[in-house]
Amino acid sequence: MNCRNALLAALAAVSCWIAPAAASNVSDHWYSPSEPGWGLSVTQQEGIAFVVLFAYGTTGVPTWLVAQAQRYGQDMQGNPGFSGPLYRMSGPWLGGPVDPAKVTAAPVGNLTFEANGVDSARLEYSVDGTQVAKTVQRLTFRHKDWSGLYRGVNRANYRNCSAEFVPAFTYD
């Protein structure tokens, strides 16, 4: 078996071990399609996810809740989980000068965000003693159409495979 065939056989063997796609980065807007009017925005940087939950409070007033959640691990497929304290934000109207002294962040509970795939996650949080658990999905505005004909180039660099093997590199 020459080097090229050995390489192809090794790649074929490794491809059997490839796991289902996992969420490597959860940065996006998330929502529940069956529950319009609320959602969350997640921005992940390394092991921290900044989560902004926009919902309506018990009186119907729009409410902003935020969490700086730490990554605590991953599931068997490699999907990350984040958890941290949850805060209710309030402040001055943004139509004029903003007084930073009027911006407050009151602790109200905890938030856990666990991806269970590329496009799906489990959200659990508590606000003032009320526990909430939801399944959410990425908010997708448009799907890319990847259908069509694609051509590619595979470059391989072979050296010292056998005495009869001459080229230093080839293009396939």
Side-chain angles (χ1 to χ4, degrees):
M1 178 183 304
N2 66 26
C3 285
R4 182 172 187 250
N5 291 342
L7 178 63
L8 292 174
L11 288 174
V14 169
S15 67
C16 295
W17 299 334
I18 296 174
S24 60
N25 189 307
V26 296
S27 295
D28 215 334
H29 299 292
W30 297 78
Y31 78 120
S32 175
S34 63
E35 299 175 338
W38 74 275
L40 59 152
S41 178
V42 181
T43 304
Q44 179 185 343
Q45 293 180 1
E46 300 294 332
I48 296 176
F50 183 74
V51 180
V52 178
L53 177 62
F54 45 95
Y56 295 96
T58 55
T59 61
V61 175
T63 303
W64 293 83
L65 304 167
V66 301
Q68 182 175 316
Q70 301 286 324
R71 183 174 179 159
Y72 60 81
Q74 62 189 29
D75 66 10
M76 295 297 286
Q77 287 77 39
N79 296 301
F82 297 88
S83 184
L86 188 63
Y87 299 89
R88 179 182 294 116
M89 302 300 298
S90 64
W93 178 61
L94 199 55
V98 174
D99 180 1
K102 292 184 178 179
V103 176
T104 62
V108 294
N110 290 299
L111 176 136
T112 301
F113 182 88
E114 296 176 337
N116 52 30
V118 174
D119 295 323
S120 179
R122 182 82 178 149
L123 172 68
E124 295 181 9
Y125 62 94
S126 60
V127 176
D128 299 327
T130 301
Q131 298 288 108
V132 179
K134 305 276 186 185
T135 299
V136 293
Q137 69 183 43
R138 287 185 191 263
L139 177 60
T140 304
F141 295 104
R142 180 175 294 164
H143 290 281
K144 294 225 181 245
D145 181 5
W146 293 102
S147 63
L149 177 64
Y150 296 91
R151 295 177 191 243
V153 174
N154 182 14
R155 179 176 184 239
N157 191 358
Y158 305 102
R159 296 196 192 283
N160 300 326
C161 289
S162 65
E164 67 273 359
F165 192 80
V166 177
F169 59 89
T170 62
Y171 290 96
D172 298 329

